[in-house]
Amino acid sequence: MPLDLTLTPLYRLDGQEQASLPGLMPAMPPRKTARGRDQDRLIIYLLLTGNAVFSTDETIQLASRAAVTFYETPGTLTFALRAAAEAINKPLLERNMSTSGRGQYAVGLISLVAMRESEITLLSSGPMHAYVLNAGGAQHIFDSLSGNGLGLGANAPHHFSRIALQPNDRLILYAKIPSAWESALNDASPASLEATRRRLMNLTNENVNAVLLQAAEGKGALIVLRPDSLSNATEEPAPAPPSTSEERVAEPQAESMPEAHLVQASAYSIPPEPKEEEHPPQSIEPDILSSLPRLHPLESTPTTNNKNNEEEEPPITVPAPTEKTSAPRSSRRRRAAKTIVGGMQFWRRGSERMGQGLQSFLPRLLPGSDTSATYTLPSYMMAFIAVLVPLIVVTIASVVYFRYGRSVQYEEYLVQARNAQTIAIGLTDPVSQREAWQQELSYLNNAESFSQTSDTQTMRAEAQSKLDQLEGISRLQFQSVGPGVNAQISRMAANENDLYLLDAVRGNVLHIAISANGFQADNSFKCGPDTYGNYTVGPLVDILTLPPVNSMNAAVMGMDANGNLLYCAPGQEPQAIPLPPPDTNWGRAKAFALDGNNLYVIDPPSRAVWVYIGKSDAFVDRPYFFFGDQIPNIENAIDLAVSNGELYILHADGHLSTCSFSSIQSVPTRCNDPAPLTNPFPASRDLDVFSQAHFTQMMFAPAPDSTLLILDTDNQSVFRFASLSLQLQSQLQPPAGRTNPLPPIPASAMTVSPNHILFLALKDEVYFATDSP
């Protein structure tokens, strides 16, 4: 359910409560966004600390840079948030490197709040804290993984948190709070946003810099409230992208409430260059100047003072290109381009003078002409010349640019990529190697935006291979099964000769036959909701394939939410047999799995997993309750898998629970919730790859592999874990970049056949890879 989010600054400076907080910027999706960003609302809370001075405009410009980057970055939400943080980290680092010789530095502390529907994803960089006040009490969110902040290294340190909001929940963001607030923040008793704001501001007379947010039922709006203690407060217009007009979108609230405005679409922009007077930032962090990286010039040059004896900022020295021929070649082409442009200008001036001369000279050639008269060209000729001359100029300029300008820029990025490649080869630390290979790929992307050559393709293949090796990624070559099947595929199951697809819209099963000649859709296959004899089967929620020999002579089995089983096979009529209901009856069956002869059914609303003991491939007895005294919270469970009595439960927030069943009364069934996932690859030790994934389905790979496979929907990736230790073995992904045959949309389902063919479904299309482990 989408929620409205109301925010208000808690900002007091020199004893005066301020109307606006520099660095606080809410943003709604603009009209045109990158893939995956059209439903994301963003709040940027940026604090600049240190001894360098930033104006208000400079702070706003940094925040705007982050907002623009966020909405222009496709892919997962966490990836876009990291890109937004990097958009601030890079200019801060460059500025710190240029001023470190004078002892000046600035550190950016940032909280990025991205809200989709009713869930918040929070990125923190630096010692940023968050307090969640809800019906369950107060929750303090802070992790040392967020590092010291932005502007101190090549990569932005960060930590992710996910928060599920309910109406009236409150969230407070801050870096340093007054001591008087510590006990107040532990009080989660219900209160309005204005009451909470007044209470916090009245507890202390110190300077305050924080943000207060509250969720409410609505349609997904962002509302900014400003303190009503400020006289003559007016509505604050929402910022808009460049070249668009600003919108005022809400009337002030009742007199007892502070004035407000609603942030509409296109709510961010890049502000003009700094003009306002500068205010020194609040110092929060200790002196960390010694940790700043420094650049040393390649050659020492004498320094001179300017006329006013003012201290000039030292230039940032960039290492010279390693290619000996690149600089002269670029210089020659620049000189050639300048020569051609100069020739164009000379030709244009000559044409104008020639036209004027012809106007006076040609009439003199006519018999009986009056030499004192002037001749005027017809209006249609003048219009033709007015159109022709600019067209010729633009054409020549375009030819010059595409012949010389694009080539020069391509070569500059290619040299940078080769430099990054040389650095990566010489490094030994896996994290530094990963970052260097990523930097090379970034330069290659820039180079290929001008020209794609065999050089860039060869370098890209090497860099991607090295990066995949560091991160444990195996690239599979996917091919299309065939045209779309006109269904929203939510589940798949396969044996060596058949592929079955579950349509989430109709709740029926589709069949595709597998043969040596390829894949063939079976339009006569029937398996879906209907009345079969005395039993009515509803839309199916899950499917699985059956052993080749079974008493029902079926190939695939489906289940509806009421525990009715439907046995289907190509060329046969379906057979419906309901499962004996459990003692507490059904809440809503969500998924099921076979382990040997036993059938496991998960019923999240009832917080139950029911186990049916199979007898001759039939389930005729009432089930037993899997859990003992320890019952994990599985109300948000979305899938399960079972292997040799070990139960694995996948939750909607992506975490995993594991349970070991015990039939001995003295040894109860034990569960581990959440079950820890481990990543053994040292190149990712500074990353939480699991929090960046969006897990939606899981299953066990067929023997002899028997690893646990979990689908990462957003990244079209399958994670392979060792079944008992849950240690990451590898990630199965399609080729990276332009060679990926899959469309850029989330994967909706996966399955693996007994002969290790991996199938991925993307909406109504299915792709397969035969080189799966």
Side-chain angles (χ1 to χ4, degrees), residues 150-381:
L150 306 177
L152 302 177
N155 295 301
H158 61 274
H159 174 260
F160 285 111
S161 304
R162 280 199 174 100
I163 306 168
L165 292 182
Q166 299 293 330
N168 300 320
D169 286 358
R170 287 159 292 164
L171 176 65
I172 299 176
L173 306 174
Y174 63 89
K176 182 180 179 181
I177 62 170
S179 56
W181 281 17
E182 294 179 359
S183 59
L185 291 181
N186 290 319
D187 180 10
S189 56
S192 67
L193 186 76
E194 175 62 10
T196 304
R197 187 191 70 81
R198 289 181 182 276
R199 180 187 178 200
L200 293 175
M201 298 301 285
N202 291 335
L203 282 175
T204 180
N205 293 323
E206 301 177 27
N207 286 346
V208 176
N209 193 317
V211 180
L212 173 63
L213 306 93
Q214 187 170 40
E217 294 183 358
K219 298 182 179 179
L222 277 180
I223 303 172
V224 179
L225 296 182
R226 296 191 298 172
D228 60 354
S229 59
L230 299 175
S231 59
N232 300 323
T234 60
E235 293 183 41
E236 180 182 333
S243 76
T244 62
S245 62
E246 296 183 339
E247 299 179 66
R248 305 174 67 90
V249 294
E251 294 296 329
Q253 304 295 313
E255 294 182 359
S256 61
M257 293 294 293
E259 299 191 64
H261 77 270
L262 180 68
V263 180
Q264 294 281 16
S266 305
Y268 64 84
S269 65
I270 299 178
E273 292 298 318
K275 296 181 181 179
E276 298 183 4
E277 60 180 2
E278 300 179 345
H279 300 285
Q282 299 181 10
S283 179
I284 295 179
E285 287 299 296
D287 187 4
I288 50 179
L289 182 62
S290 59
S291 67
L292 290 175
R294 303 191 180 203
L295 286 178
H296 301 283
L298 297 179
E299 298 180 1
S300 60
T301 56
T303 59
T304 57
N305 295 330
N306 57 18
K307 295 180 180 181
N308 299 325
N309 295 322
E310 295 179 352
E311 184 178 8
E312 297 182 352
E313 291 189 1
I316 300 177
T317 305
V318 180
T322 56
E323 293 278 337
K324 293 184 179 180
T325 60
S326 61
R329 187 184 306 168
S330 299
S331 177
R332 289 196 301 269
R333 291 185 175 178
R334 289 193 183 96
R335 288 196 299 269
K338 290 180 179 179
T339 301
I340 292 177
V341 172
M344 290 165 52
Q345 294 175 346
F346 176 79
W347 174 82
R348 184 175 181 179
R349 289 193 297 268
S351 299
E352 293 176 353
R353 293 173 182 174
M354 184 178 295
Q356 294 173 358
L358 290 174
Q359 287 186 7
S360 59
F361 174 71
L362 290 177
R364 299 172 185 264
L365 300 178
L366 300 176
S369 61
D370 186 0
T371 58
S372 63
T374 59
Y375 180 74
T376 303
L377 291 174
S379 58
Y380 68 87
M381 183 62 69

Side-chain angles (χ1 to χ4, degrees), residues 98 129 163 230 256-257 291 383 430 447 499 532 562 567 591 603 680 758:
S98 66
H129 300 251
I163 306 168
L230 299 175
S256 61
M257 293 294 293
S291 67
L499 174 65
Y532 302 94
N562 295 317
Y567 296 87
D603 185 353
L758 174 63

Side-chain angles (χ1 to χ4, degrees), residues 11 90 139 141 161 168 200 254 278 365 374 384 425 465 473 557 575 588 617 620-621 639 654 710 719-720 754:
Y11 185 39
K90 183 178 179 181
Q139 178 186 2
I141 299 175
S161 304
N168 300 320
L200 293 175
E278 300 179 345
L365 300 178
T374 59
F384 175 74
I425 294 174
S465 175
I473 297 176
M557 179 172 66
Q575 303 177 62
R588 178 178 176 82
D617 302 321
V620 297
D621 296 332
D639 205 0
I710 306 182
F719 283 64
R720 298 175 63 245

Side-chain angles (χ1 to χ4, degrees), residues 707-722:
T707 55
L708 181 65
L709 307 179
I710 306 182
L711 173 64
D712 176 9
T713 292
D714 291 349
N715 297 306
Q716 299 177 345
S717 177
V718 177
F719 283 64
R720 298 175 63 245
F721 292 93

Side-chain angles (χ1 to χ4, degrees), residues 476 478-482 489 491-501 512-515 518-519 697 699 709 711 717-718 732 742 747-762 765-772:
L476 306 183
F478 282 87
Q479 304 175 57
S480 176
V481 166
I489 304 170
R491 297 276 184 174
M492 293 194 295
N495 56 36
E496 293 183 352
N497 300 314
D498 303 281
L499 174 65
Y500 298 97
L501 319 173
I512 297 178
I514 306 174
S515 66
F519 299 88
Q697 288 183 11
M699 65 175 292
L709 307 179
L711 173 64
S717 177
V718 177
L732 308 180
L742 276 59
S748 58
M750 71 161 181
T751 193
V752 181
S753 67
N755 52 344
H756 293 269
I757 297 178
L758 174 63
F759 295 91
L760 283 183
L762 291 85
E765 296 186 56
V766 181
Y767 295 81
F768 73 98
T770 58
D771 48 352
S772 172

